[in-house]
Amino acid sequence: MKIRIFVTLKNGVLDPQGKAIHHSLEGLGFSGINDVRSGRLIEMDVDDNVSDNDIDAMCRKLLANMVIENYHIEKVSEGADT
Amino acid sequence: MKSAVITFPGSNCDRDMAVAIEKTTGKAPARIWHGESQLPGNFDLIAVPGGFSYGDYLRSGAMAARSPIMNAIVKAAEHGTAILGVCNGFQILTESLLLPGALMRNAGIDFVCREVPLIVENTGSSFTKAYQQGEQIIIPVAHHDGNYFADDETLDRLEGDGRVAFRYAEPVNGSARNIAGILNAKGNVLGMMPHPERHIETLQGGTDGVRLFKSLAQSLLEAV
């Protein structure tokens, strides 16, 4: 089973990297960018019997820092383009 | 004073920390590898040094905070052992929830490496009693992720309880309220981004770090 975990900064947490990317994009001449937030994508391949609870625990215990980050778990269906 | 310095894969200030402890307190610390699941004896001080544990993968300090030795350190902290986390050590202590908040990428995303002025905000802790309240000292920083973040409620609590140990006297990395170092509720865990172990002899450009170690040695002596 393929899983994608998106880790993003919570609302209200400043994102210096997002700001720098924003600035850099504008430096390249792109306009109309209102805001940039950066995050992290973690892809995992796990056995089908790994429970949702376990995946959730993996996020809470290691993959995301719950002080500053949120996470979102997405199961990638078979045959989907990865 | 029985002390120990932990080494993680990627630690690079562990030797400096060991030298600083020995020079300032007269006794060499034990050196402990992170893979140990138990501490070899009881210690008065455990230092979690700076560096780039696990290459800062995932988040600075995240992997090291889940090392086997950290369970033993959390237990020691609960029993009142003094725990000092410097730089990456501070990041490891927040990641292991011994201290609140998180260290984020510096505002401006630059790596900051220079001597900075700090204000000593708390002189009641075993780490800081040899300093004067409100005193300005100079200690070097060298970090990419030193931008302290916590929600307002946590920041207010830290301030209200006198748990801000050191504050930058000028903006350095975007830290909330210019916080450079904080204590846990019991006052036996200190995390700070600046490196006191790098200012212990004049050859290093300053000696303001000495009194942090002297404070510890003195406090722990009194406690016996």
Side-chain angles (χ1 to χ4, degrees):
Chain A
M1 179 169 54
K2 291 218 163 94
I3 287 169
R4 285 178 177 169
I5 294 159
F6 297 86
V7 181
T8 52
L9 286 172
K10 286 182 177 173
N11 284 337
V13 176
L14 287 176
D15 179 9
Q17 290 180 95
K19 273 199 164 35
I21 295 165
H22 190 169
H23 184 75
S24 201
L25 287 171
E26 286 179 340
L28 289 171
F30 295 104
S31 60
I33 305 160
N34 296 319
D35 193 23
V36 178
R37 305 277 284 171
S38 67
R40 180 184 295 116
L41 165 65
I42 296 163
E43 290 184 322
M44 292 201 293
D45 190 345
V46 301
D47 287 344
D48 287 345
N49 59 6
V50 173
S51 70
D52 288 357
N53 275 346
D54 275 351
I55 295 166
D56 205 58
M58 292 177 201
C59 292
R60 280 182 285 107
K61 289 189 172 177
L62 178 64
L63 303 179
N65 178 336
M66 301 308 293
V67 176
I68 48 172
E69 294 169 331
N70 290 322
Y71 60 89
H72 168 73
I73 300 164
E74 215 175 80
K75 289 185 180 168
V76 183
S77 55
E78 285 303 319
D81 183 25
T82 54
Chain B
M1 184 172 83
K2 266 190 83 181
S3 59
V5 176
I6 312 297
T7 300
F8 298 90
S11 293
N12 64 10
C13 301
D14 45 336
R15 185 184 172 280
D16 285 17
M17 182 65 82
V19 169
I21 290 173
E22 183 169 3
K23 287 214 173 213
T24 52
T25 69
K27 201 167 166 214
R31 305 290 296 274
I32 299 173
W33 181 239
H34 78 113
E36 303 290 333
S37 53
Q38 309 239 315
L39 294 163
N42 289 319
F43 293 96
D44 303 306
L45 166 68
I46 298 170
V48 185
F52 298 87
S53 57
Y54 292 89
D56 280 349
Y57 290 173
L58 192 63
R59 298 176 304 275
S60 297
M63 311 291 235
R66 279 83 185 168
S67 275
I69 197 67
M70 286 311 295
N71 290 324
I73 292 178
V74 168
K75 279 203 189 85
E78 283 164 7
H79 286 112
T81 302
I83 315 284
L84 169 65
V86 170
C87 200
N88 189 219
F90 186 9
Q91 295 158 345
I92 293 168
L93 296 185
T94 57
E95 279 284 348
S96 58
L97 305 180
L98 279 171
L99 292 170
L103 281 313
M104 304 192 52
R105 182 53 43 100
N106 293 344
I109 70 167
D110 288 329
F111 191 97
V112 181
C113 183
R114 61 182 170 90
E115 292 180 343
V116 297
L118 299 179
I119 309 287
V120 182
E121 295 280 353
N122 171 321
T123 52
S125 82
S126 54
F127 300 91
T128 53
K129 56 177 55 167
Y131 295 104
Q132 304 293 316
Q133 183 76 35
E135 180 184 356
Q136 185 164 314
I137 59 173
I138 302 287
I139 303 280
V141 296
H143 59 247
H144 214 165
D145 297 311
N147 183 348
Y148 184 72
F149 173 88
D151 57 42
D152 284 332
E153 194 187 328
T154 305
L155 292 170
D156 288 344
R157 197 173 64 239
L158 288 173
E159 303 258 18
D161 294 346
R163 289 168 54 190
V164 177
F166 300 104
R167 205 187 298 272
Y168 300 113
E170 61 189 35
V172 170
N173 52 25
S175 270
R177 304 187 194 181
N178 279 331
I179 287 172
I182 56 166
L183 294 154
N184 68 340
K186 277 202 298 189
N188 66 313
V189 179
L190 170 69
M192 61 191 292
M193 289 312 296
H195 287 270
E197 81 282 8
R198 290 191 188 176
H199 259 199
I200 55 155
E201 44 188 313
T202 45
L203 206 61
Q204 293 173 307
T207 56
D208 281 346
V210 170
R211 280 180 289 161
L212 188 134
F213 299 100
K214 294 270 190 206
S215 297
L216 279 166
Q218 185 63 35
S219 309
L220 297 167
L221 209 61
E222 285 164 4
V224 171

